[in-house]
């Protein structure tokens, strides 16, 4: 399994990498609805990233990024999912129509029970903020749902993935939250939400970078005092 899908040939330029989900029950929160769709499409106790990529074709970028980012909000989980996110982001940035996951990434999996818990969310400030944004998401094509915007989303996702991989206090949440908003907009084909997510991701990446640079500077200064 290499994470590719034969269900569709690569689309024309106007067929960008994420489309609205075919489930039209917009009374259900997008994350809950999407996770339920993943569970229905991919039977089994564990669901691999390769299975999701194959099942969802050109919608897989937004969906996989979303599902990889949600655990990234949990302590100690961000670095685990950072590498697949980095690969997906670079592929989007390069204009790939569908994910092409290497075998070791495609074989990574999520427990179905953990996936369903993500749909319920947790009673935290971040989850409440995501729930508010979810209520606002709906299909709205616009300037942030075209091929050029998809590439920008990809590079922002790759940058956020690097911030998730690198260790730093408080540096995971802001980039992950912004990327979740971007991914929601991608899957729902919502230009306004993608634009908001791009701004949040940029600011989150900027914050994380500043923290990591400050930590590196203090570390170098401390070494100077010691030696």
């Amino acid at each position: 399994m290499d994470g590719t899908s034969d269900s569709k040939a690569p689309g024309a330029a106007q067929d960008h990498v994420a489309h609205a989900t075919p489930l039209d029950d917009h009374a259900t929160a997008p994350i809950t609805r999407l996770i339920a769709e993943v569970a229905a499409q991919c039977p089994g106790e564990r669901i691999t990233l390769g299975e999701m990529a194959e099942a969802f074709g050109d919608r897989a970028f937004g969906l996989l990024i979303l599902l990889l980012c949600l655990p990234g909000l949990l302590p100690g989980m961000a670095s685990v999912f950072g590498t697949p996110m980095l690969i997906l982001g670079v592929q989007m940035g390069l204009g790939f129509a569908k994910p092409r996951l290497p075998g070791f990434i495609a074989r990574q999996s999520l427990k179905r029970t953990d996936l369903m818990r993500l749909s319920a969310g947790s009673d935290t400030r971040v989850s409440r903020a995501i729930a508010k944004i979810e209520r606002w998401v709906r299909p709205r094509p616009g300037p942030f749902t075209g091929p050029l915007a998809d590439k920008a989303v990809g590079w922002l996702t790759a940058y956020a993935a690097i911030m998730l991989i690198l260790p730093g206090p408080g540096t995971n949440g802001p980039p992950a939250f912004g990327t979740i908003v971007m991914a929601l907009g991608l899957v729902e084909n919502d230009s306004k939400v993608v634009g908001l997510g791009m701004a949040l991701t940029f600011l989150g990446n900027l914050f994380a970078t500043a923290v990591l640079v400050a930590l590196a500077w203090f570390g170098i200064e401390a070494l100077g005092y010691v030696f």
Side-chain angles (χ1 to χ4, degrees), residues 71-83:
L73 294 173
L74 304 175
M77 297 297 290
S79 59
V80 176
F81 297 100
T83 301

Side-chain angles (χ1 to χ4, degrees), residues 89-152:
V90 169
Q91 290 184 353
M92 277 192 72
L94 292 175
F96 284 34
K98 301 173 186 177
R100 299 178 186 175
L101 300 177
F104 75 99
I105 296 294
R107 288 189 293 271
Q108 291 192 28
S109 63
L110 298 170
K111 288 183 179 180
R112 177 182 294 274
T113 52
D114 290 343
L115 195 63
M116 300 311 293
R117 278 213 311 269
L118 288 174
S119 68
S122 57
D123 189 19
T124 65
R125 184 169 58 183
V126 170
S127 65
R128 289 194 295 270
I130 292 173
K132 289 180 181 178
I133 292 172
E134 282 189 287
R135 291 195 292 269
W136 192 54
V137 177
R138 63 179 183 273
R140 282 180 290 197
F144 294 109
T145 55
L148 186 60
D150 286 340
K151 291 181 180 181

Side-chain angles (χ1 to χ4, degrees), residues 90-223:
V90 169
Q91 290 184 353
M92 277 192 72
L94 292 175
F96 284 34
K98 301 173 186 177
R100 299 178 186 175
L101 300 177
F104 75 99
I105 296 294
R107 288 189 293 271
Q108 291 192 28
S109 63
L110 298 170
K111 288 183 179 180
R112 177 182 294 274
T113 52
D114 290 343
L115 195 63
M116 300 311 293
R117 278 213 311 269
L118 288 174
S119 68
S122 57
D123 189 19
T124 65
R125 184 169 58 183
V126 170
S127 65
R128 289 194 295 270
I130 292 173
K132 289 180 181 178
I133 292 172
E134 282 189 287
R135 291 195 292 269
W136 192 54
V137 177
R138 63 179 183 273
R140 282 180 290 197
F144 294 109
T145 55
L148 186 60
D150 286 340
K151 291 181 180 181
V153 167
W155 291 120
L156 282 170
T157 298
Y159 191 170
I162 294 171
M163 295 300 100
L164 294 182
I165 293 169
L166 295 176
T171 57
N172 292 340
F177 178 74
T179 308
I180 287 170
V181 176
M182 280 198 306
L184 272 174
L186 277 173
V187 178
E188 294 293 297
N189 199 32
D190 190 331
S191 178
K192 289 186 178 181
V193 172
V194 173
L196 173 63
M198 290 174 72
L200 291 173
T201 306
F202 176 79
L203 293 173
N205 287 340
L206 199 62
F207 167 78
T209 301
V211 171
L212 292 171
V213 169
L215 287 173
W217 184 83
F218 282 119
I220 292 171
E221 289 294 307
L223 288 174

